[in-house]
Amino acid sequence: MTIASGTVREAAIAAPPPTSAATSPARPRKRRQLTRNRWGYAYVAPFFLVFTAFSLYPFMYTAWVSLHETSLSNINGGTWVGLENYRELLQSEFFWNAARNTLTIGILATVPQLCMALGLAHLLNYKLRGRTFFRTVMLMPYATSIAAATLVFSQLFGRDYGLINTMLEAVGLDRIDWEAGTVSSQVAIAVIVTWRWTGYNALIYLAAMQSIPGELYEAAEIDGASKWKQFLHVTIPSLRPTILFTIVVSTIGAVQLFGEPLLFAGNGTTSGGASGQYQTLGLLMYQQGWSNFHIGQAATTAWAMFMIILVIVGVNAVIGRLRARADR
Amino acid sequence: MATLAPPVTETGRRTTPAASPARRRGRRGGSRAGRPGPVAYTLLTLVALVSIFPLYWTLVAGSHTNAEIAATPPPFLPNASLFENFQLALEQAPIGKAILNSVLVSGAITVGTVLFCTLAGFAFAKLAFRGKGLLLALVIGTMMVPTQLSVIPLFMMIAELQWVNQLQAVILPTLVSAFGVFFMRQYLISALPNELLEAGRVDGASTFRIFWSIVVPVARPAMAVLAMLTFLTAWNEFFWPLIALTTANPTVQVALAGLGSGYVPQRSVIMAGTLLGTLPVLIVFTILGKQIVGGIMQGAVKG
């Protein structure tokens, strides 16, 4: 939590200066009047009440549960087993299988997605005819739910009647049993994720691109840089913080991947395919808790997921900071 | 809610002093060079087609019989069986009830989130109180904590309260959002002049009165954006409703998840059901799409 909040906090703290610098020097006296206000607590109270009851407390409690052998109906404990659940988890082939799958699906889903979003944002940044239309249409998948998207795609990827196999056959290729293979099923799931999120990320990149000063491009053009060179040497470096941020957010999403593998076979099985070939950590956790009733194990898996997120976010934050320093 | 996090958070990091004057210019003129060639239009059209096609296919597949969509070549235009398939889908899963539930749940979450986040955002933007910095850091820190980490004790809690399968089990935990607080704060810092608040105070208005007649009108555009994004997210929420509810009293997403589990999966009926469950959000998106796009863009740019 510390590392995670650290990065975002830095973001938040970086934000205010321009505005507050603009307002404060002119009216120091008036500002002071506004600063004394006990009502502040009343205003933030609803947020913190709900948040503490339904997020913070359960979050902490998950750690406690992970040290117990317990069942779903037993809120007050179960048997204390210490780190036994963690030991079991690290020795479990299911965990390592799920961790591996989460990693590969995560890479398959985020890398092409963010690259495409970047290219797409570049195109959307031109003075386009019908730009609102393009932007809106590209955000449509984001408005579609995981359940709906997965059900549709699982039909498109169907072995016998799926449209994708029909098309493959039409161009002379072999049909693929998308769900059965490890690589094929993971690619298919990554496609669903990519479909839903590319447009959204493109809009975020686009917003950041529009804040790049035009002079930078003019200067580059005077230096004789081609459009491609400008993209590489002006656009990408200017977007670096935004890119880093989308990487972090997509990674967190990828570690939690759940709905897509659950519904990919159409019927909500928690095993992630016949041989667990696309069982993710999220799915494993759900299976442990709600199919096998090993709630302590599920809590352990949840914490393992959180640890993975912390490590990834931490590594990204360090890389980001180093690169920022190198730029200076 | 984590999905909503990127725009605002990311903003702050970009707001280097150098960026802010240039940003305005960029927004107005479209700082990037020139007009796109045919290649750009072709690529964009292609992406647009890929974005829409799965949704269109839902309509096509949902409006044919099973046999018809299995044919080669498959049909590419909608057909008349649509309403028949709707009927079958409604028989197989309580989609009507699910839509009503989803409207209730998403509506309640939206009202709560917008109200509470505006309150807290206002306090963080304009009031000072002891521990404010720490509390704000806590709010932002929570945007990083995945929902899945709270789910187990949360389920134990609602089991204890006997709320399993009750709508409040889905509404209450999502009633606030850290993103919303941060979003409102960022908006109000610049949009709400201190003079207005002082004028209210000089006139002797109570703190609540000031909130209601000064802050809310100023915050309205941001509240609208937050409302749209929250509604979309709440409508599409999958993991927690699936755990807290059953197919007897589902939201749309839970009903959809249950739709495929019949003995003989009828693909056209599943598609018709999916279409039914997606239609409301698509209608909202068709009407408000431009504003939603603007909201996401604004969220990303606003400093």
Side-chain angles (χ1 to χ4, degrees):
Chain A
M1 186 146 180
T2 39
I3 306 176
S5 63
T7 35
V8 188
R9 206 163 100 205
E10 181 193 48
I13 290 163
T19 17
S20 53
T23 40
S24 62
R27 304 177 283 280
R29 187 184 54 83
K30 290 175 183 173
R31 271 186 74 80
R32 200 174 309 139
Q33 287 183 336
L34 282 171
T35 53
R36 299 240 177 77
N37 204 319
R38 279 170 295 118
W39 280 98
Y41 296 112
Y43 284 90
V44 298
F47 174 85
F48 279 99
L49 282 179
V50 177
F51 167 71
T52 309
F54 297 108
S55 295
L56 192 62
Y57 163 73
F59 168 66
M60 306 292 198
Y61 202 87
T62 304
W64 181 248
V65 173
S66 74
L67 303 173
H68 288 77
E69 171 91 49
T70 183
S71 69
L72 270 178
S73 54
N74 191 355
I75 191 167
N76 292 320
T79 334
W80 170 270
V81 292
L83 292 174
E84 182 60 24
N85 282 328
Y86 288 88
R87 202 181 58 80
E88 257 175 53
L89 189 76
L90 292 177
Q91 287 176 352
S92 149
E93 54 180 303
F94 294 109
F95 170 73
W96 291 109
N97 174 55
R100 217 171 22 244
N101 290 342
T102 306
L103 180 76
T104 47
I105 298 176
I107 292 172
L108 286 172
T110 47
V111 176
Q113 174 195 335
L114 293 180
C115 291
M116 281 181 346
L118 204 54
L120 202 53
H122 182 72
L123 292 179
L124 287 169
N125 202 20
Y126 282 115
K127 284 182 186 140
L128 285 170
R129 255 171 235 282
R131 69 167 112 184
T132 314
F133 168 78
F134 282 120
R135 287 177 191 177
T136 314
V137 165
M138 274 158 210
L139 200 63
M140 289 277 256
Y142 167 77
T144 314
S145 72
I146 290 177
T150 310
L151 287 181
V152 176
F153 271 90
S154 75
Q155 304 236 337
L156 290 174
F157 279 112
R159 188 190 59 188
D160 297 324
Y161 306 112
L163 209 55
I164 292 171
N165 272 350
T166 309
M167 272 155 52
L168 284 180
E169 211 167 43
V171 295
L173 295 168
D174 284 339
R175 289 172 171 269
I176 296 173
D177 191 349
W178 290 97
E179 205 220 311
T182 305
V183 177
S184 58
S185 59
Q186 296 193 357
V187 165
I189 288 169
V191 166
I192 307 174
V193 179
T194 306
W195 179 76
R196 277 193 74 225
W197 287 100
T198 303
Y200 177 83
N201 282 309
L203 282 186
I204 291 184
Y205 288 146
L206 176 62
M209 275 179 191
Q210 297 198 330
S211 72
I212 302 174
E215 298 95 81
L216 285 182
Y217 291 103
E218 283 159 30
E221 209 149 343
I222 291 167
D223 290 345
S226 65
K227 282 269 183 289
W228 173 243
K229 280 256 159 83
Q230 290 178 26
F231 180 71
L232 274 190
H233 297 294
V234 178
T235 310
I236 301 279
S238 309
L239 289 187
R240 195 171 287 150
T242 313
I243 293 173
L244 186 72
F245 195 83
T246 53
I247 290 175
V248 168
V249 171
S250 314
T251 307
I252 294 176
V255 173
Q256 296 184 70
L257 202 65
F258 169 75
E260 292 88 345
L262 180 79
L263 294 177
F264 182 55
N267 51 7
T269 45
T270 54
S271 60
S275 53
Q277 68 271 30
Y278 53 89
Q279 187 178 50
T280 56
L281 286 171
L283 209 49
L284 175 67
M285 180 200 134
Y286 182 74
Q287 186 183 35
Q288 289 166 332
W290 280 268
S291 303
N292 304 343
F293 307 111
H294 280 310
I295 213 72
Q297 272 292 339
T300 313
T301 308
W303 264 87
M305 290 165 69
F306 187 52
M307 292 299 164
I308 295 171
I309 289 176
L310 278 192
V311 168
I312 295 169
V313 170
V315 167
N316 272 300
V318 168
I319 294 175
R321 201 157 292 181
L322 289 178
R323 299 214 67 153
R325 199 165 297 163
D327 285 349
R328 234 173 265 146
Chain B
M1 279 290 140
T3 50
L4 290 181
V8 168
T9 333
E10 164 278 324
T11 53
R13 318 174 114 236
R14 278 194 14 262
T15 316
T16 53
S20 44
R23 159 191 308 161
R24 217 155 290 135
R25 198 171 317 130
R27 288 206 80 169
R28 212 186 299 131
S31 65
R32 267 328 298 276
R35 303 225 159 249
V39 181
Y41 278 108
T42 313
L43 282 173
L44 282 171
T45 309
L46 210 66
V47 176
L49 283 176
V50 172
S51 297
I52 285 192
F53 183 75
L55 298 170
Y56 178 69
W57 176 247
T58 316
L59 172 67
V60 174
S63 64
H64 284 81
T65 62
N66 249 356
E68 281 164 354
I69 43 174
T72 7
F76 272 94
L77 288 172
N79 190 30
S81 314
L82 183 63
F83 291 96
E84 220 170 290
N85 284 340
F86 276 167
Q87 204 120 46
L88 286 171
L90 288 170
E91 279 165 23
Q92 288 187 10
I95 294 180
K97 186 175 189 189
I99 290 179
L100 183 68
N101 279 348
S102 274
V103 169
L104 284 174
V105 166
S106 311
I109 291 176
T110 303
V111 170
T113 302
V114 170
L115 179 67
F116 294 154
C117 291
T118 310
L119 277 171
F122 165 59
F124 280 126
K126 293 292 171 179
L127 305 176
F129 44 94
R130 208 179 279 271
K132 176 166 125 171
L134 189 73
L135 289 178
L136 184 63
L138 192 63
V139 170
I140 295 160
T142 62
M143 297 203 286
M144 284 287 184
V145 180
T147 20
Q148 286 175 340
L149 222 72
S150 312
V151 156
I152 291 160
L154 210 49
F155 185 82
M156 293 168 148
M157 270 162 65
I158 66 157
E160 192 88 339
L161 292 164
Q162 310 215 311
W163 282 0
V164 176
N165 218 12
Q166 309 271 319
L167 293 185
Q168 66 263 35
V170 181
I171 296 171
L172 278 175
T174 345
L175 210 49
V176 296
S177 100
F179 161 80
V181 173
F182 192 64
F183 182 81
M184 292 311 299
R185 172 184 176 268
Q186 296 304 93
Y187 182 83
L188 285 174
I189 279 181
S190 52
L192 183 66
N194 289 337
E195 288 88 344
L196 264 183
L197 295 176
E198 284 148 28
R201 190 139 309 156
V202 168
D203 288 349
S206 66
T207 314
F208 181 75
R209 185 74 208 269
I210 288 180
F211 178 76
W212 196 247
S213 9
I214 298 176
V215 180
V216 167
V218 171
R220 201 165 283 155
M223 286 166 85
V225 168
L226 182 62
M228 287 184 295
L229 293 177
T230 306
F231 191 88
L232 260 187
T233 314
W235 184 278
N236 288 336
E237 194 61 56
F238 183 63
F239 188 57
W240 175 240
L242 186 74
I243 287 171
L245 303 177
T246 67
T247 40
N249 189 31
T251 59
V252 167
Q253 310 313 325
V254 179
L256 288 184
L259 197 61
S261 48
Y263 287 110
V264 187
Q266 286 178 285
R267 306 191 312 132
S268 55
V269 178
I270 295 176
M271 285 298 97
T274 308
L275 186 62
L276 267 183
T278 315
L279 222 45
V281 97
L282 285 184
I283 292 171
V284 170
F285 196 79
T286 312
I287 300 170
L288 297 172
K290 199 174 157 186
Q291 277 81 0
I292 295 173
V293 169
I296 288 177
M297 298 265 299
Q298 181 200 26
V301 172
K302 192 115 201 118

